Amino acid sequence: MGACPNDSSDDAASGDSTATEAGAPPEPPCRECECCVSSFAPVDIWECGCQLPDGTQEFADLLTCATPASVANGCSEFCAGVLPGSVFQLWPAGCADNRSMSCGTAFWNPSAEVGFSAGRYQVDFDFIDSIIASELLPLFTCDDATFEVWQRGGFYVANASSGELLYTLGLRNGDRPQNLNGMPLGSYQDAFAAYRDLWLEGEKLYALVVIRNNQALVLRYQVNA
Protein backbone atom coordinates (compact mmCIF):
# COMPACT_ATOMS: atom_id res chain seq x y z
CA MET A 1 0.00 0.00 0.00
CA GLY A 2 1.37 3.40 -0.94
CA ALA A 3 2.12 5.92 1.79
CA CYS A 4 -0.19 8.88 2.27
CA PRO A 5 1.72 12.11 1.64
CA ASN A 6 2.05 14.50 4.59
CA ASP A 7 0.17 12.11 6.90
CA SER A 8 1.42 10.13 9.84
CA SER A 9 0.86 6.39 9.79
CA ASP A 10 -1.70 6.75 12.58
CA ASP A 11 -3.73 9.21 10.54
CA ALA A 12 -3.49 7.06 7.45
CA ALA A 13 -4.72 3.99 9.26
CA SER A 14 -7.54 5.69 11.15
CA GLY A 15 -10.04 5.35 8.33
CA ASP A 16 -11.33 8.92 8.70
CA SER A 17 -14.19 9.60 6.35
CA THR A 18 -14.43 12.35 3.80
CA ALA A 19 -17.62 14.27 3.15
CA THR A 20 -18.71 16.57 0.37
CA GLU A 21 -21.83 17.43 -1.60
CA ALA A 22 -22.90 14.84 -4.14
CA GLY A 23 -21.56 15.81 -7.53
CA ALA A 24 -18.73 17.99 -6.19
CA PRO A 25 -15.10 16.96 -6.83
CA PRO A 26 -14.47 14.53 -3.96
CA GLU A 27 -11.47 14.40 -1.68
CA PRO A 28 -10.84 10.64 -1.23
CA PRO A 29 -9.75 9.12 2.07
CA CYS A 30 -6.00 8.70 2.46
CA ARG A 31 -5.94 5.00 1.62
CA GLU A 32 -4.86 2.87 -1.32
CA CYS A 33 -6.46 -0.41 -2.34
CA GLU A 34 -5.15 -2.90 0.24
CA CYS A 35 -6.98 -6.12 -0.48
CA CYS A 36 -7.12 -6.88 -4.19
CA VAL A 37 -4.67 -9.26 -5.80
CA SER A 38 -6.70 -11.19 -8.38
CA SER A 39 -10.35 -11.80 -9.24
CA PHE A 40 -10.56 -14.37 -6.44
CA ALA A 41 -8.62 -12.40 -3.84
CA PRO A 42 -10.35 -10.24 -1.24
CA VAL A 43 -11.82 -6.94 -2.38
CA ASP A 44 -11.91 -3.62 -0.55
CA ILE A 45 -15.14 -2.62 1.17
CA TRP A 46 -15.92 1.10 1.17
CA GLU A 47 -18.90 2.40 3.12
CA CYS A 48 -20.84 5.11 1.28
CA GLY A 49 -23.41 7.22 3.13
CA CYS A 50 -25.68 10.00 1.85
CA GLN A 51 -27.58 12.48 4.01
CA LEU A 52 -30.00 15.34 3.34
CA PRO A 53 -30.40 18.32 5.71
CA ASP A 54 -33.69 16.84 6.97
CA GLY A 55 -31.85 13.74 8.17
CA THR A 56 -32.90 11.39 5.35
CA GLN A 57 -30.11 8.86 4.80
CA GLU A 58 -29.09 6.13 2.38
CA PHE A 59 -26.13 3.78 2.72
CA ALA A 60 -24.37 1.32 0.45
CA ASP A 61 -21.27 -0.86 0.58
CA LEU A 62 -19.03 -0.44 -2.45
CA LEU A 63 -16.94 -3.53 -3.15
CA THR A 64 -14.15 -2.72 -5.54
CA CYS A 65 -10.48 -2.76 -6.42
CA ALA A 66 -10.66 0.80 -7.73
CA THR A 67 -8.53 3.69 -6.53
CA PRO A 68 -9.86 5.85 -3.68
CA ALA A 69 -10.62 8.67 -6.12
CA SER A 70 -12.68 6.34 -8.31
CA VAL A 71 -14.53 5.00 -5.28
CA ALA A 72 -15.28 8.55 -4.15
CA ASN A 73 -16.67 9.33 -7.59
CA GLY A 74 -18.81 6.20 -7.40
CA CYS A 75 -20.16 7.23 -3.99
CA SER A 76 -20.88 10.72 -5.31
CA GLU A 77 -22.77 9.25 -8.27
CA PHE A 78 -24.73 6.92 -5.97
CA CYS A 79 -25.82 9.75 -3.66
CA ALA A 80 -26.68 12.05 -6.56
CA GLY A 81 -28.91 9.29 -7.92
CA VAL A 82 -30.72 8.18 -4.77
CA LEU A 83 -30.73 11.46 -2.77
CA PRO A 84 -30.09 14.44 -5.06
CA GLY A 85 -28.46 17.32 -3.19
CA SER A 86 -27.27 15.13 -0.35
CA VAL A 87 -23.89 15.23 1.35
CA PHE A 88 -21.95 12.00 1.04
CA GLN A 89 -19.47 10.38 3.39
CA LEU A 90 -17.05 7.67 2.36
CA TRP A 91 -14.77 5.62 4.55
CA PRO A 92 -12.84 2.31 4.26
CA ALA A 93 -14.51 -0.58 6.01
CA GLY A 94 -12.11 -3.48 5.56
CA CYS A 95 -11.91 -6.41 3.17
CA ALA A 96 -14.38 -8.96 1.83
CA ASP A 97 -12.76 -12.32 1.18
CA ASN A 98 -14.44 -13.84 -1.86
CA ARG A 99 -11.84 -16.52 -2.56
CA SER A 100 -14.19 -19.25 -1.29
CA MET A 101 -16.79 -18.36 -3.92
CA SER A 102 -17.44 -21.20 -6.37
CA CYS A 103 -18.18 -20.11 -9.93
CA GLY A 104 -19.78 -22.19 -12.64
CA THR A 105 -21.61 -24.41 -10.14
CA ALA A 106 -24.96 -24.32 -8.39
CA PHE A 107 -23.70 -21.26 -6.52
CA TRP A 108 -23.22 -19.16 -9.65
CA ASN A 109 -24.51 -20.52 -12.94
CA PRO A 110 -26.56 -17.88 -14.79
CA SER A 111 -27.36 -20.20 -17.68
CA ALA A 112 -29.36 -22.37 -15.28
CA GLU A 113 -31.24 -19.37 -13.88
CA VAL A 114 -32.40 -17.65 -17.08
CA GLY A 115 -34.91 -19.10 -19.52
CA PHE A 116 -36.54 -17.82 -22.69
CA SER A 117 -40.20 -18.19 -23.67
CA ALA A 118 -42.99 -16.13 -25.20
CA GLY A 119 -40.42 -13.71 -26.59
CA ARG A 120 -39.04 -12.83 -23.15
CA TYR A 121 -36.07 -13.77 -21.03
CA GLN A 122 -37.51 -15.37 -17.88
CA VAL A 123 -35.77 -14.73 -14.56
CA ASP A 124 -36.78 -15.58 -10.99
CA PHE A 125 -37.15 -12.69 -8.57
CA ASP A 126 -35.14 -14.52 -5.88
CA PHE A 127 -32.14 -14.89 -8.20
CA ILE A 128 -31.97 -11.18 -9.05
CA ASP A 129 -32.73 -10.14 -5.48
CA SER A 130 -29.91 -12.34 -4.16
CA ILE A 131 -27.44 -10.62 -6.51
CA ILE A 132 -28.55 -7.19 -5.30
CA ALA A 133 -28.46 -8.30 -1.66
CA SER A 134 -24.88 -9.54 -2.07
CA GLU A 135 -23.81 -6.11 -3.42
CA LEU A 136 -23.22 -7.68 -6.86
CA LEU A 137 -20.28 -9.68 -5.47
CA PRO A 138 -20.90 -12.73 -7.72
CA LEU A 139 -20.68 -10.46 -10.76
CA PHE A 140 -17.37 -8.99 -9.62
CA THR A 141 -15.97 -12.43 -8.82
CA CYS A 142 -17.31 -14.79 -11.45
CA ASP A 143 -18.06 -12.71 -14.55
CA ASP A 144 -15.81 -10.53 -16.68
CA ALA A 145 -18.66 -8.71 -18.49
CA THR A 146 -19.06 -5.07 -17.52
CA PHE A 147 -20.85 -1.87 -18.49
CA GLU A 148 -18.17 0.61 -19.55
CA VAL A 149 -18.60 4.36 -19.95
CA TRP A 150 -18.95 5.29 -23.63
CA GLN A 151 -17.02 8.39 -24.72
CA ARG A 152 -20.13 9.90 -26.34
CA GLY A 153 -22.27 9.39 -23.25
CA GLY A 154 -23.98 6.37 -21.74
CA PHE A 155 -22.55 2.88 -21.45
CA TYR A 156 -21.61 -0.13 -23.55
CA VAL A 157 -21.20 -3.83 -22.83
CA ALA A 158 -17.65 -5.18 -22.74
CA ASN A 159 -16.06 -8.62 -22.18
CA ALA A 160 -19.36 -10.53 -22.32
CA SER A 161 -18.94 -14.23 -23.09
CA SER A 162 -21.09 -17.33 -23.05
CA GLY A 163 -22.15 -18.46 -19.58
CA GLU A 164 -21.95 -15.01 -17.99
CA LEU A 165 -25.06 -13.22 -16.77
CA LEU A 166 -25.13 -10.30 -19.20
CA TYR A 167 -24.56 -12.65 -22.14
CA THR A 168 -27.25 -15.03 -20.86
CA LEU A 169 -29.64 -12.07 -20.67
CA GLY A 170 -29.13 -11.42 -24.39
CA LEU A 171 -26.53 -8.65 -24.25
CA ARG A 172 -23.50 -8.73 -26.51
CA ASN A 173 -20.21 -6.85 -26.66
CA GLY A 174 -20.70 -3.33 -27.96
CA ASP A 175 -24.40 -3.12 -27.06
CA ARG A 176 -25.29 0.37 -25.82
CA PRO A 177 -28.33 0.45 -23.48
CA GLN A 178 -30.63 3.39 -24.28
CA ASN A 179 -33.65 3.04 -22.02
CA LEU A 180 -35.45 0.61 -19.75
CA ASN A 181 -39.25 0.75 -19.89
CA GLY A 182 -38.83 4.18 -21.40
CA MET A 183 -36.52 5.46 -18.66
CA PRO A 184 -33.17 6.75 -19.99
CA LEU A 185 -29.91 4.97 -19.15
CA GLY A 186 -27.42 7.64 -20.12
CA SER A 187 -25.75 8.09 -16.73
CA TYR A 188 -25.30 6.53 -13.29
CA GLN A 189 -28.06 8.82 -12.04
CA ASP A 190 -30.39 7.49 -14.74
CA ALA A 191 -29.57 3.90 -13.79
CA PHE A 192 -30.26 4.56 -10.10
CA ALA A 193 -33.55 6.26 -11.00
CA ALA A 194 -34.62 3.27 -13.11
CA TYR A 195 -33.71 0.88 -10.28
CA ARG A 196 -35.66 2.99 -7.79
CA ASP A 197 -38.76 3.57 -9.91
CA LEU A 198 -38.98 0.14 -11.52
CA TRP A 199 -37.38 -2.61 -9.44
CA LEU A 200 -38.14 -1.15 -6.01
CA GLU A 201 -41.73 -0.52 -7.10
CA GLY A 202 -42.18 -4.19 -7.99
CA GLU A 203 -42.15 -4.01 -11.79
CA LYS A 204 -42.17 -7.49 -13.36
CA LEU A 205 -42.06 -6.78 -17.11
CA TYR A 206 -39.10 -4.97 -18.67
CA ALA A 207 -38.20 -3.77 -22.16
CA LEU A 208 -34.55 -2.81 -22.63
CA VAL A 209 -33.68 -0.88 -25.78
CA VAL A 210 -30.06 -1.23 -26.90
CA ILE A 211 -28.14 -0.06 -29.94
CA ARG A 212 -26.43 -2.97 -31.67
CA ASN A 213 -24.61 -2.52 -34.97
CA ASN A 214 -26.15 0.96 -35.26
CA GLN A 215 -29.70 -0.40 -35.00
CA ALA A 216 -32.18 -0.34 -32.13
CA LEU A 217 -33.00 -3.71 -30.59
CA VAL A 218 -35.53 -4.44 -27.84
CA LEU A 219 -34.72 -7.13 -25.26
CA ARG A 220 -37.74 -8.17 -23.16
CA TYR A 221 -37.67 -9.66 -19.68
CA GLN A 222 -40.13 -11.10 -17.20
CA VAL A 223 -39.38 -11.43 -13.49
CA ASN A 224 -41.26 -14.33 -11.91
CA ALA A 225 -42.14 -14.54 -8.23
Side-chain angles (χ1 to χ4, degrees), residues 64-88:
T64 180
C65 291
T67 64
S70 296
V71 177
N73 283 325
C75 183
S76 174
E77 294 278 5
F78 171 78
C79 291
V82 299
L83 287 179
S86 63
V87 171
F88 80 81

Side-chain angles (χ1 to χ4, degrees), residues 3 8-9 15-16 24 56 83 138 151 155 169 176 180 201 208 210:
S8 69
S9 59
D16 289 343
T56 303
L83 287 179
Q151 59 184 358
F155 306 92
L169 291 172
R176 291 184 281 114
L180 183 64
E201 292 298 322
L208 174 65
V210 303

Side-chain angles (χ1 to χ4, degrees), residues 26-189:
E27 290 292 334
C30 189
R31 179 177 183 273
E32 303 274 341
C33 178
E34 292 182 329
C35 309
C36 296
V37 177
S38 69
S39 60
F40 284 90
V43 295
D44 284 303
I45 306 173
W46 296 81
E47 183 76 12
C48 174
C50 325
Q51 182 167 331
L52 291 172
D54 66 4
T56 303
Q57 295 179 321
E58 290 285 347
F59 292 92
D61 287 338
L62 305 179
L63 306 182
T64 180
C65 291
T67 64
S70 296
V71 177
N73 283 325
C75 183
S76 174
E77 294 278 5
F78 171 78
C79 291
V82 299
L83 287 179
S86 63
V87 171
F88 80 81
Q89 289 187 307
L90 179 68
W91 57 94
C95 302
D97 191 343
N98 59 2
R99 284 176 294 187
S100 62
M101 195 169 284
S102 180
C103 302
T105 68
F107 179 84
W108 181 248
N109 187 9
S111 298
E113 301 289 348
V114 179
F116 188 87
S117 64
R120 295 181 181 275
Y121 292 92
Q122 306 286 329
V123 190
D124 285 341
F125 171 86
D126 288 344
F127 173 63
I128 300 298
D129 194 54
S130 68
I131 297 173
I132 296 172
S134 68
E135 303 290 350
L136 308 182
L137 186 56
L139 290 178
F140 286 123
T141 305
C142 300
D143 285 5
D144 294 323
T146 57
F147 287 108
E148 300 290 337
V149 176
W150 194 43
Q151 59 184 358
R152 297 183 183 178
F155 306 92
Y156 68 93
V157 177
N159 304 316
S161 59
S162 178
E164 297 185 338
L165 181 59
L166 295 187
Y167 190 97
T168 304
L169 291 172
L171 291 161
R172 298 295 182 264
N173 288 330
D175 283 358
R176 291 184 281 114
Q178 302 298 294
N179 66 73
L180 183 64
N181 287 16
M183 298 191 67
L185 297 173
S187 67
Y188 289 111
Q189 290 94 329

Side-chain angles (χ1 to χ4, degrees), residues 182-199:
M183 298 191 67
L185 297 173
S187 67
Y188 289 111
Q189 290 94 329
D190 288 344
F192 285 127
Y195 168 72
R196 180 188 63 226
D197 295 347
L198 296 173
W199 181 261

